[in-house]
Amino acid sequence: QVQLVESGGGSVQAGDSLKLSCAASKDIGSACMAWFRQAPGKQREGVVGIDGRGDTTHADSVRGRFTISRDNAKNFLYLQMNFLKPEDTAMYYCATTNGRCLGTPSLLLASLYDDWGQGTQVTVSS
């Protein structure tokens, strides 16, 4: 099992940027990892994922605005969010597979992931 701790959330204005971080307790170098979000009254949705080779998948709603990256040496996952919109308001979670994960088309499916963080809140006001 991998413990994940998110940080970097906050309250911002529309058009602002935020960078979320996710610290993992174990080596994540070959794992698939992703950021999900859940707004009040809505289902959890995949935002952007990255596999063990560095290939990424973005939800249409964030493509061109959000960028995922990872630092395998430090066991960190990041989410750079630019041009934030009020509809981006949600609790953001990072998730990881508990093992090697390459070339999957399912990076935005929650069922792919084994371990989840507790979340960090992002609130965007207009």
Side-chain angles (χ1 to χ4, degrees):
Q1 187 176 10
V2 181
Q3 278 73 50
L4 301 171
V5 179
E6 302 94 336
S7 61
S11 296
V12 297
Q13 298 287 320
D16 285 351
S17 298
L18 275 177
K19 186 174 184 177
L20 306 184
S21 300
C22 174
S25 62
K26 295 181 179 179
D27 179 18
I28 57 166
S30 61
C32 285
M33 300 191 75
W35 289 95
F36 287 76
R37 66 186 181 187
Q38 188 167 18
K42 295 188 177 181
Q43 289 189 327
R44 187 173 297 191
E45 63 171 346
V47 176
V48 57
I50 185 169
D51 74 3
R53 292 190 299 215
D55 294 332
T56 60
T57 299
H58 293 74
D60 290 342
S61 59
V62 305
R63 188 172 291 112
R65 299 189 299 123
F66 289 13
T67 303
I68 192 171
S69 62
R70 63 198 298 168
D71 185 334
N72 292 338
K74 296 181 179 179
N75 295 330
F76 267 81
L77 182 74
Y78 302 102
L79 181 64
Q80 178 66 49
M81 304 185 293
N82 298 327
F83 305 109
L84 283 160
K85 303 176 181 180
E87 51 264 43
D88 294 320
T89 295
M91 185 72 78
Y92 283 71
Y93 302 87
C94 71
T96 186
T97 58
N98 196 4
R100 183 179 176 90
C101 178
L102 302 174
T104 174
S106 308
L107 288 174
L108 298 186
L109 292 181
S111 58
L112 176 67
Y113 298 95
D114 301 299
D115 299 302
W116 295 78
Q118 294 299 307
T120 185
Q121 177 69 37
V122 172
T123 302
V124 185
S125 56
S126 57

